[in-house]
Amino acid sequence: MENTKELTEHSSRVERKRRDSFGMFDGYDSCSEDTSSSSSSDESEEEVAPLASSLPIIKNNGQVYTYPDGKSGMATCEMCGMVGVRDAFYSKTKRFCSVSCSRSYSSNSKKASILARLQGKPPTKKAKVLQKQPLVAKLAAYAQYQATLQNQAKTKTAVPVEGFSWGNYINSNSFTAAPVTCFKHAPMGTCWGDISEGVRVEVPNTDCSLPTKVFWIAGIIKLAGYNALLRYEGFENDSSLDFWCNICGSDIHPVGWCATSGKPLVPPRTIQHKYTNWKAFLVKRLTGAKTLPPDFSQKVSESMQYPFKTSMRVEVVDKTHLCRTRVAVVDSVVGGRLRLVYEESEDKTDDFWCHMYSPLIHHIGWSRSIGHRFKRSDITKKQDGHFDAPPHLFMKVKEVDAAGEWFKEGMKLEAIDPLNLSAICVATIRKVLADGYLMIGIDGSEAADGSDWFCYHATSPSIFPVGFCEINMIELTPPRGYAKLPFKWFDYLRETDSIAAPVKLFNKEVPNHGFHVGMKLEAVDLMEPRLVCVATVTRIIHRLLRIHFDGWEDEYDQWVDCESPDLYPVGWCQLTGYQLQPPAPQSSRDSQSSSSKQKKKAKSQQYKGHKKMTSLQLKEELLDGEEYSFLQGTSDQESNGSASYYIKQEP
C-alpha cells in the first residue's frame, strides 16, 4: 500500500513537472530535467484550470524540453530569442545560440532583470525596481488618457466614426503602412530590430472553449506600423482566423514565455485534430524561426517614459501673435505630446498642443538669449508646484557659423507658411537673431507691426532657396495681390530690388528616411494640433513629405519634414491611449467638394497650429453647410525627388 501511495505521489509530482519549452499539453512526455522554473506554474499570476485530457496541450518547463528517450529537444536563446535544436546551441548549458549572445547577456543587471521576469522567480531588489516600470507606465498613460478625455469634454471635438479599424482599413484596400523605423521619436523607433514578417509570438488563443486563458503560437503575416496581422500556427494557407493586434500590447510575448510563466499552450479548436503530435509539429515549424527579444516588453515600457512632467514651465509660440513666445505650463503628457496651458489662463482652456521635440517650445530664458520677442506674464511669481523645465530636455539645433557669409535682412527665399501648411510661399528674412535663428515674413500678407513674422532656424527643413519649388515641380504661392502671373523669381527680385539668400546656407541634408508614396501613418492635423488623424504620404521631395488626410480634400494637405515629431506609425494612438480621428465620412466629403468651389476664406492670425483656421472649426462649418474654400497649394505634377535639389540662380 505504501509503495502504491508513493508511486501515486511520484506520478503527481512528475505530472506537475511535465512541462516543455512550448508548454504543450496532451499526453506528451516531457522534461526529465528538474529546471529552476519547474515551479513557475505555482507562482504564476493566474492559476491555470485543469484541462481536458483529450486536448493536445503543451505544459511549461523553462527554456528546454527533452524527448521521452532522454534526447534533447528545442531551445530558445535567452538573448535574441532564436528558436533551434538544443544540440546546436552554444556551451554546455545550451542557453544561447552563439558566443556573441552569451557575451551580450553576461551583464549582471540585464541577467538579473531578465531572469527574474522570465523564470517566474521572486525578483531581486534590483529587478523589482525594473519591474515596476511597466505598471508605472500604464498608470501614467491611463491618467494622461483621462486628462485628455476631460480636456476634450470641455471643447467640441470631431465626432469619430464608430468602429474604425486600422486592420480592416489596411486589408480591404491593400494599403502599406510606414514602418516603425521611420519614426525615430516614437516608442521603439530606434530599437524595433528585426521584427518583420515570419516572426513568431505567443498570443491568447481566442478559438478555444476552455474556462481559462490559454495561449498559442502565431506568425506575423503582415506588418502595419505597430500593428501585425497574425496567423495561428497550424493554419498554413487558411486565413479564416487571421487577426490584427498591436505588437507592443501586453498580451504579445516571445516564444518560450508560456513555458517560463506557467501558462498553457493549446492549439485552436478549429485545427486541434489536424495533427496527432503537436510537439513534433512545433519543433519543425519553429526551428530556425525568429521571435521577439526576451526583454521586448521592457524596451517598450522604457521607450514610453517621457522626461517632461506636469507643472513644468516652458516658452512656447504665442498662437495669437506668431512673432513672440509666452510662458506655458505642461498640463499633461500623452505619448510624448504635451498639452501646454498658457500661464495666464485661469480656467486652463487657453492651451496649445505640440510634441516635446517640437521646434516651437524652448526653455525659460530662450527668447531673451537670442533676441526673440517675448510676452511678459502678468503673473509676478511662479505658482506653487510649477518649475522650469531643464534646458537639456529640449531638442538641440545644429550649430551654425554666422561669422562668414550669412543670411541678411531683406533676402528672399521660399518657406512653408506656418499659417497654411499646404503652401510654400515667397518669403523675406525680416530679422536675423542669435544662434542661427531667423524671423521670416510671407510676402504680400504681412501685418504692418510684424506680428505675423515667425521664427525658423537656419537649418530648418521648412525654408528653401529661391527656385526650389520650380525645379521640384511644386506650386509656389506668389505674394497676395501680385499681378504678373505666372510668377517669375528673377523678375520679382529685380522689381523688389532684392537678392536671393545664397543656396549654400540652406540645409541640404536628406536622410534615408524610408518613406514611400502611398504609405499610411497617423499624423497631427496642424490646423488643430490636438487632433491625430489617419493620413497618407502622397508626395516625397527629398526630405519633404506631402501628407494627405484620408477622406478630406487636398486643400487640407500639409508639407511636413520626414523627421517631424508630428508623424507617427499606424497604431501609435492605440498604444499611447490617444484619440485617433478616422477618415471623414462620405457626407463630409460631399460637403467639402461643393464648398471648396465657392468663396475663399481670408487669412486669420490665430495660430491654432499651422493653418489659417482650425481643422475642427472648418470641418464643423463644412458639416453645417457653410461655404469655404482655400488657396490651392498643391501641384498636379508628381516628382520622385530625383531632380536637382536647387535651381541655378541667375546673376
Side-chain angles (χ1 to χ4, degrees):
M1 289 293 291
E2 291 182 2
N3 290 339
T4 304
K5 185 177 181 180
E6 289 176 2
L7 183 60
T8 303
E9 290 177 352
H10 175 72
S11 299
S12 178
R13 286 196 298 272
V14 171
E15 176 62 28
R16 286 197 300 271
K17 292 180 179 179
R18 213 176 47 154
R19 304 164 191 147
D20 53 40
S21 62
F22 299 132
M24 280 173 57
F25 82 91
D26 87 359
Y28 292 162
D29 292 325
S30 61
C31 188
S32 59
E33 303 175 46
D34 186 7
T35 69
S36 60
S37 61
S38 61
S39 60
S40 61
S41 61
D42 296 332
E43 299 167 5
S44 62
E45 294 175 4
E46 75 180 65
E47 196 167 329
V48 179
L51 301 175
S53 59
S54 60
L55 290 175
I57 55 179
I58 306 173
K59 292 198 177 170
N60 320 330
N61 190 30
Q63 294 299 110
V64 180
Y65 81 83
T66 52
Y67 291 110
D69 59 5
K71 293 181 179 178
S72 60
M74 304 298 293
T76 303
C77 179
E78 293 182 19
M79 184 62 208
C80 72
M82 173 72 80
V83 179
V85 178
R86 184 172 187 257
D87 285 339
F89 270 43
Y90 172 70
S91 81
K92 291 180 180 179
T93 61
K94 307 299 183 185
R95 294 167 56 204
F96 307 102
C97 65
S98 65
V99 177
S100 60
C101 279
S102 177
R103 289 175 179 169
S104 299
Y105 190 85
S106 62
S107 165
N108 286 334
S109 60
K110 192 175 188 72
K111 191 173 182 179
S113 62
I114 294 177
L115 284 180
R117 182 174 62 82
L118 293 184
Q119 294 183 349
K121 290 181 178 179
T124 62
K125 288 184 179 179
K126 192 166 190 178
K128 209 165 190 176
V129 173
L130 290 172
Q131 285 197 338
K132 283 182 180 179
Q133 291 181 351
L135 177 60
V136 172
K138 288 177 183 177
L139 291 175
Y142 180 75
Q144 292 161 2
Y145 178 56
Q146 292 299 319
T148 303
L149 293 180
Q150 291 173 8
N151 173 51
Q152 290 179 344
K154 294 177 184 177
T155 55
K156 293 173 69 178
T157 58
V159 180
V161 176
E162 292 298 328
F164 175 78
S165 164
W166 260 122
N168 293 338
Y169 193 57
I170 294 283
N171 267 359
S172 59
N173 299 281
S174 299
F175 290 140
T176 301
V180 173
T181 51
C182 290
F183 310 87
K184 305 303 182 187
H185 59 281
M188 301 299 290
T190 57
C191 53
W192 192 242
D194 296 327
I195 299 175
S196 59
E197 294 178 7
V199 166
R200 307 302 206 284
V201 291
E202 291 181 354
V203 294
N205 177 5
T206 57
D207 183 27
C208 183
S209 58
L210 295 171
T212 186
K213 188 175 185 178
V214 295
F215 293 79
W216 188 241
I217 295 171
I220 297 178
I221 302 298
K222 184 175 184 178
L223 270 177
Y226 295 116
N227 294 346
L229 180 63
L230 299 180
R231 180 173 301 170
Y232 289 122
E233 285 296 340
F235 276 81
E236 298 177 6
N237 295 324
D238 181 0
S239 61
S240 59
L241 285 187
D242 288 1
F243 61 99
W244 285 89
C245 70
N246 196 304
I247 285 293
C248 296
S250 58
D251 264 342
I252 311 299
H253 308 283
V255 172
W257 177 84
C258 283
T260 57
S261 305
K263 310 296 182 187
L265 278 176
V266 182
R269 180 174 52 182
T270 303
I271 58 170
Q272 70 181 43
H273 300 299
K274 188 173 180 179
Y275 298 97
T276 56
N277 189 338
W278 280 101
K279 181 186 293 183
F281 168 78
L282 287 182
V283 169
K284 182 178 179 181
R285 290 288 296 170
L286 297 179
T287 298
K290 290 285 288 184
T291 188
L292 302 178
D295 59 347
F296 183 75
S297 61
Q298 183 179 328
K299 284 184 177 179
V300 172
S301 175
E302 290 171 352
S303 69
M304 293 179 67
Q305 306 300 312
Y306 306 106
F308 280 86
K309 308 299 177 187
T310 56
S311 300
M312 280 185 174
R313 299 170 76 242
V314 302
E315 288 186 11
V316 66
V317 65
D318 184 345
K319 65 184 182 183
T320 59
H321 293 81
L322 299 186
C323 65
R324 69 187 185 189
T325 57
R326 295 171 62 183
V327 173
V329 179
V330 178
D331 179 72
S332 59
V333 185
V334 185
R337 303 203 76 229
L338 311 177
R339 179 181 182 253
L340 303 173
V341 176
Y342 289 113
E343 196 171 46
E344 296 167 294
S345 176
E346 294 181 0
D347 59 359
K348 292 190 174 184
T349 57
D350 191 9
D351 64 356
F352 186 82
W353 278 92
C354 65
H355 193 272
M356 62 184 183
Y357 294 150
S358 170
L360 301 175
I361 60 170
H362 309 276
H363 62 85
I364 298 295
W366 172 83
S367 296
R368 177 182 294 178
S369 69
I370 70 159
H372 194 283
R373 289 172 65 177
F374 175 76
K375 181 186 179 184
R376 294 188 178 278
S377 174
D378 294 334
I379 299 175
T380 55
K381 64 178 182 178
K382 296 179 190 175
Q383 298 184 22
D384 291 341
H386 292 178
F387 58 103
D388 295 351
H392 71 268
L393 299 187
F394 299 84
M395 278 294 287
K396 301 293 186 294
V397 293
K398 248 184 215 175
E399 291 188 9
V400 294
D401 181 14
E405 187 177 16
W406 191 240
F407 292 100
K408 293 182 174 61
E409 290 183 19
M411 282 183 172
K412 300 293 183 181
L413 70 165
E414 298 175 3
I416 297 176
D417 184 354
L419 289 171
N420 181 1
L421 238 69
S422 70
I424 299 178
C425 306
V426 173
T428 303
I429 296 172
R430 293 303 180 188
K431 190 175 182 182
V432 179
L433 309 179
D435 296 341
Y437 286 97
L438 310 170
M439 296 303 294
I440 294 174
I442 300 297
D443 285 22
S445 59
E446 295 175 66
D449 59 358
S451 61
D452 59 354
W453 294 353
F454 50 93
C455 186
Y456 277 146
H457 193 263
T459 61
S460 170
S462 298
I463 58 174
F464 317 95
V466 164
F468 173 83
C469 284
E470 181 179 350
I471 196 65
N472 290 291
M473 294 181 287
I474 300 172
E475 183 176 338
L476 176 66
T477 302
R480 182 181 297 175
Y482 187 71
K484 291 183 63 176
L485 299 178
F487 177 84
K488 296 294 182 184
W489 258 118
F490 305 119
D491 293 341
Y492 185 69
L493 289 174
R494 284 193 290 267
E495 291 167 11
T496 56
D497 193 24
S498 54
I499 61 172
V503 170
K504 65 180 181 180
L505 299 182
F506 292 85
N507 179 8
K508 293 180 283 294
E509 181 184 353
V510 181
N512 185 18
H513 48 70
F515 286 103
H516 297 288
V517 171
M519 281 183 170
K520 297 293 178 182
L521 69 164
E522 297 177 2
V524 175
D525 180 354
L526 291 166
M527 296 184 294
E528 179 52 70
R530 62 191 169 86
L531 300 181
V532 178
C533 311
V534 172
T536 307
V537 177
T538 56
R539 287 195 70 185
I540 301 175
I541 308 295
H542 308 294
R543 63 180 301 146
L544 198 60
L545 309 180
R546 181 84 173 179
I547 302 299
H548 173 76
F549 295 105
D550 290 18
W552 294 94
E553 291 292 312
D554 293 345
E555 285 87 349
Y556 300 92
D557 289 2
Q558 298 175 166
W559 286 111
V560 181
D561 183 61
C562 64
E563 294 181 341
S564 168
D566 295 310
L567 305 178
Y568 307 103
V570 165
W572 179 86
C573 281
Q574 180 189 4
L575 177 62
T576 60
Y578 207 93
Q579 174 72 49
L580 176 66
Q581 300 298 323
Q586 185 63 46
S587 58
S588 299
R589 299 178 205 174
D590 295 341
S591 298
Q592 296 171 61
S593 298
S594 58
S595 63
S596 61
K597 296 174 184 176
Q598 306 296 327
K599 61 183 181 180
K600 295 185 177 181
K601 183 68 177 173
K603 189 171 186 176
S604 163
Q605 298 302 315
Q606 183 74 358
Y607 188 65
K608 282 290 209 182
H610 290 76
K611 278 283 186 177
K612 292 182 169 66
M613 68 181 299
T614 72
S615 168
L616 187 58
Q617 293 171 331
L618 184 57
K619 292 171 185 175
E620 287 170 348
E621 289 171 352
L622 284 175
L623 292 173
D624 289 338
E626 295 290 337
E627 296 176 346
Y628 293 100
S629 72
F630 308 86
L631 292 174
Q632 181 67 26
T634 59
S635 170
D636 294 331
Q637 295 173 300
E638 283 300 322
S639 168
N640 60 10
S642 60
S644 174
Y645 195 67
Y646 302 114
I647 192 170
K648 183 178 179 181
Q649 297 183 49
E650 292 182 3

